[in-house]
Amino acid sequence: MSTANKQYRILELPEVITGVLALVIVLWEAFVAGFAAADAESALFKQGSHLLLCGVVWFNTLAVIVHVITELRHHRNPGRFLWLQLLTGIVASFVFSGGIYGFLPEYSLRFSLILSFLLGMYAFINIRALIQEKRVVGKRATHSRWSPAVVFFTGMLTMVMVSTLVLITPGASIVPISFTDAFFTCASAISITGLTSVDVGSTFTPLGKLVVLLNIQVGAIGVMTFSYFVLILVGKKLAVRDRLAISSLLDQQGVNIIPTLIKIVIFITFGVEIIGACLLYVLWQGAPGVPQDLLWFRAFFHAISAFCNAGITLFPANMAESCVQHDKLVQSVMMLLTLAGTLGFGVYLECYTRLRNKLTGKRNAVRWSTHTWLVVRATLFVMVIGSIGLCLLAVLEPSTHASTSDFNLWESIWNTIGRSAGFNITDISTYGPVYQIFLCALMFVGGNPAGTGGGVYAPLFIICLLEVVRVLRGQHDLELHQRRIARNTVERAMATVVLSTFWIVACTMVLMLMEPVIANSANGTIKLLFLEVSAFTTTGYSLVNPGDLCATSKYFICANMLFGRVGMFTFMLIFIKQKDPSPIRYPETRLPLS
């Protein structure tokens, strides 16, 4: 490292130390000192820890000011990241001063904690940059041996553990919650599944609900994608290794489009969620039966949960609550949000590229990409077939479910669109077994690649069906959209479907051994199969209450939810190292198959 870089890092040292210290104090005040209490503002303003936090923030801001002045004196550009640190520090110092000297209201304490948390995160970004520099030894860089799948899974598991520790603190829950239930809730949120063993709305404080919401949001767009977006936002450049990792996780070809793709993922996510939250806020304002306290948070929670296909709500009976069960305007907004998340960010990237080219006068390709072409048609195909199939089964199959014919059609469309979300407007256990098995098949198909939905993905399932047709017809290649589909794509689709099927069957048998009471009950096999499919495809529908499962079964379901979020094919690559193609090919032989 050069002398100039060493001086630069020395200037950052006070910022890093004070930033980490500020983060530690914020976490202590929030989770140990009972920040969720009603009189938290008055109590914390009298604590010495908050005065210490104020001094740390003031010192951090002073260190950043010195850093900026030093950079300007040496005729160097401080950079976007340093200016952002300075702005955050100045605002935080002003808010702290206003709270202490009384010219700002006491609720400004909450903003001071948020700003202090940001300063702590800036410190960790600086530490990460320092670690990356340390990886360079002389002129030779050391590369991580971990695959993107391992990093993604490790990041999810780490966030689940940290969030679990937060949820079991007194400030996060209204009633005491066990470690198992907290872990189950966090695993369901980070994997955007929707299975919960406790009632989120009545169990957690606003702080606990916020933790669950953050897990849903970060889990939907990916831990790595979110962290890389923060680096791009503050002006840091992504290494080629990081671009390759994101390209692998989001199923996108090429590394040059990754920064643009990450920005689109974030902006589309936040933009659609804000629009959905505003619509829900207007529709729920003054609505009978809908709690009006913190209505804006309730609207944002459900908008984010819908777009992320998480299926977690603050209503005790999910969307089957009487105040929203027959509100078709609210349900329409939820369905549109769910569908928007299911389409996949690859489709949004192509739409953005075409719109930008049209506005700048550049010529667009005549054809849409095969990916977008297939996603749109596969989504429409599954929606039409699923809605018609569920509606016919609801009418023709004997069951205890009672509803009118028009509601049957509406609920069939709702369940088909929500096949990867898990919101239910009626009790699915009242339907017949054929209906439930058909809904299992829809959950297995799921959403689309690079989206917030689960399952094996509709385009992959369609490719498998078309591959079977190709074999029966004796054709040489699988052709779509006047394009020949690559053999490795077809083989990966077939492997994903086959492996997922075997996994679900095996895990269902394990659940039957662990839950003999449910297995021996009426339709017990279907109930556990439904639960396993729902967990592995990250859907959230369930015929049994997850809270009634034993602790071992809950952890087993947690593992299924996390593995399902990673994807079966990607998950298998964690344990199986792919080999380079061998130049030697043995003579071909044929085997009797019939």
Side-chain angles (χ1 to χ4, degrees):
M1 187 181 296
S2 63
T3 305
N5 286 335
K6 288 182 179 179
Q7 293 176 352
Y8 184 82
R9 290 306 178 193
I10 291 175
L11 288 173
E12 286 186 345
L13 188 59
E15 305 165 16
V16 171
I17 295 176
T18 53
V20 172
L21 183 59
L23 183 62
V24 171
I25 298 175
V26 167
L27 294 177
W28 186 89
E29 289 189 346
F31 306 131
V32 180
F35 176 57
D39 59 346
E41 287 86 352
S42 301
L44 281 178
F45 266 123
K46 299 176 182 179
Q47 289 183 3
S49 63
H50 201 65
L51 296 177
L52 176 62
L53 178 61
C54 176
V56 169
V57 170
W58 284 347
F59 187 84
N60 180 276
T61 305
L62 180 62
V64 175
I65 292 175
V66 173
H67 192 171
V68 170
I69 293 176
T70 304
E71 292 293 314
L72 293 175
R73 287 185 59 187
H74 289 83
H75 306 287
R76 291 196 298 263
N77 182 13
R80 190 192 313 169
F81 180 67
L82 198 56
W83 286 117
L84 190 60
Q85 275 186 283
L86 179 61
L87 178 62
T88 306
I90 291 176
V91 175
S93 300
F94 174 78
V95 172
F96 270 109
S97 301
I100 291 176
Y101 294 108
F103 60 86
L104 287 179
E106 286 187 345
Y107 63 77
S108 63
L109 166 68
R110 299 185 183 271
F111 296 103
S112 67
L113 286 176
I114 294 174
L115 294 171
S116 302
F117 180 81
L118 288 177
L119 292 177
M121 298 309 297
Y122 295 156
F124 276 99
I125 292 175
N126 282 326
I127 293 174
R128 183 181 185 276
L130 181 61
I131 293 175
Q132 284 186 337
E133 288 186 4
K134 288 292 186 181
R135 288 178 180 173
V136 179
V137 182
K139 296 182 179 181
R140 183 178 178 182
T142 59
H143 298 281
S144 175
R145 297 180 180 178
W146 288 8
S147 67
V150 175
V151 175
F152 180 61
F153 182 77
T154 305
M156 284 201 309
L157 190 58
T158 302
M159 190 164 183
V160 168
M161 291 301 301
V162 173
S163 302
T164 301
L165 295 177
V166 173
L167 285 186
I168 61 177
T169 57
S173 60
I174 298 175
V175 295
I177 181 174
S178 66
F179 180 88
T180 300
D181 287 332
F183 187 90
F184 191 94
T185 302
C186 293
S188 178
I190 197 71
S191 62
I192 52 175
T193 300
L195 294 173
T196 54
S197 57
V198 296
D199 178 25
V200 175
S202 60
T203 302
F204 300 112
T205 64
L207 177 63
K209 296 172 186 175
L210 181 61
V211 171
V212 174
L213 188 61
L214 290 177
N215 275 273
I216 293 173
Q217 186 72 89
V218 177
I221 61 180
V223 179
M224 295 172 62
T225 305
F226 187 79
S227 61
Y228 289 147
F229 171 74
V230 173
L231 294 177
I232 293 175
L233 187 66
V234 299
K236 304 290 185 180
K237 292 184 178 180
L238 294 182
V240 176
R241 177 183 62 256
D242 299 331
R243 298 190 183 199
L244 288 173
I246 291 294
S247 176
S248 174
L249 290 175
L250 295 179
D251 290 326
Q252 297 294 321
Q253 300 296 326
V255 296
N256 293 329
I257 65 171
I258 296 305
T260 303
L261 178 61
I262 292 177
K263 293 176 183 178
I264 288 176
V265 168
I266 300 297
F267 290 141
I268 289 292
T269 299
F270 289 166
V272 173
E273 289 171 352
I274 290 173
I275 294 174
C278 293
L279 292 175
L280 291 177
Y281 180 83
V282 172
L283 293 174
W284 278 340
Q285 199 166 26
V290 179
Q292 299 297 303
D293 56 311
L294 293 178
L295 184 60
W296 62 269
F297 179 79
R298 183 175 296 271
F300 266 103
F301 190 100
H302 289 86
I304 292 174
S305 183
F307 180 81
C308 297
N309 281 237
I312 299 177
T313 75
L314 299 180
F315 297 109
N318 205 289
M319 299 302 290
E321 196 73 21
S322 58
C323 58
V324 293
Q325 184 178 22
H326 301 288
D327 193 338
K328 292 188 177 180
L329 284 177
V330 171
Q331 294 170 7
S332 298
V333 173
M334 297 289 285
M335 283 194 294
L336 290 175
L337 288 170
T338 301
L339 186 60
T342 305
L343 282 178
F345 296 108
V347 176
Y348 294 124
L349 175 63
E350 184 168 2
C351 293
Y352 164 78
T353 303
R354 285 179 167 271
L355 179 61
R356 183 188 59 186
N357 291 341
K358 187 174 183 179
L359 294 177
T360 56
K362 295 181 180 180
R363 184 178 179 181
N364 281 313
V366 178
R367 289 178 169 277
W368 287 76
S369 68
T370 305
H371 169 73
T372 301
W373 181 90
L374 180 59
V375 163
V376 172
R377 280 156 179 78
T379 302
L380 292 176
F381 175 80
V382 174
M383 285 177 57
V384 172
I385 297 298
S387 299
I388 295 175
L390 291 178
C391 186
L392 290 176
L393 289 173
V395 175
L396 299 177
E397 185 184 16
S399 66
T400 59
H401 185 78
S403 62
T404 59
S405 57
D406 60 333
F407 187 79
N408 279 333
L409 178 59
W410 177 260
E411 188 181 7
S412 300
I413 297 174
W414 170 275
N415 288 338
T416 303
I417 294 178
R419 65 189 181 276
S420 61
F423 296 108
N424 59 285
I425 54 179
T426 58
D427 186 2
I428 299 177
S429 63
T430 58
Y431 282 104
V434 180
Y435 184 101
Q436 297 165 357
I437 292 176
F438 187 73
L439 185 55
C440 266
L442 292 178
M443 292 190 297
F444 183 79
V445 172
N448 296 294
T452 59
V456 298
Y457 298 142
L460 269 70
F461 187 78
I462 297 298
I463 286 177
C464 291
L465 294 181
L466 294 177
E467 174 67 4
V468 173
V469 174
R470 181 197 69 81
V471 173
L472 294 176
R473 288 182 174 180
Q475 296 176 332
H476 184 68
D477 296 315
L478 177 59
E479 297 176 352
L480 281 176
H481 199 214
Q482 296 184 358
R483 292 291 186 272
R484 176 169 51 86
I485 307 301
R487 287 309 305 169
N488 62 342
T489 300
V490 177
E491 292 166 357
R492 178 169 178 172
M494 296 294 290
T496 300
V497 172
V498 172
L499 288 172
S500 299
T501 303
F502 278 123
W503 179 273
I504 288 173
V505 172
C507 291
T508 301
M509 291 189 292
V510 173
L511 279 176
M512 293 176 67
L513 295 175
M514 292 191 296
E515 297 292 338
V517 175
I518 299 177
N520 295 326
S521 63
N523 295 328
T525 302
I526 295 179
K527 292 179 182 178
L528 293 178
L529 172 64
F530 198 96
L531 177 63
E532 168 59 28
V533 173
S534 180
F536 181 72
T537 60
T538 66
T539 300
Y541 286 135
S542 180
L543 301 179
V544 297
N545 181 12
D548 296 335
L549 302 175
C550 65
T552 305
S553 297
K554 289 180 181 178
Y555 285 113
F556 185 73
I557 293 296
C558 288
N560 273 274
M561 291 189 292
L562 295 175
F563 295 159
R565 180 60 183 134
V566 175
M568 175 50 65
F569 190 85
T570 305
F571 170 68
M572 295 302 294
L573 291 181
I574 296 177
F575 305 99
I576 301 176
K577 184 178 181 181
Q578 290 187 313
K579 298 181 180 179
D580 296 330
S582 174
I584 301 174
R585 299 189 70 186
Y586 293 103
E588 185 181 79
T589 186
R590 296 181 180 273
L591 298 173
L593 299 177
S594 62

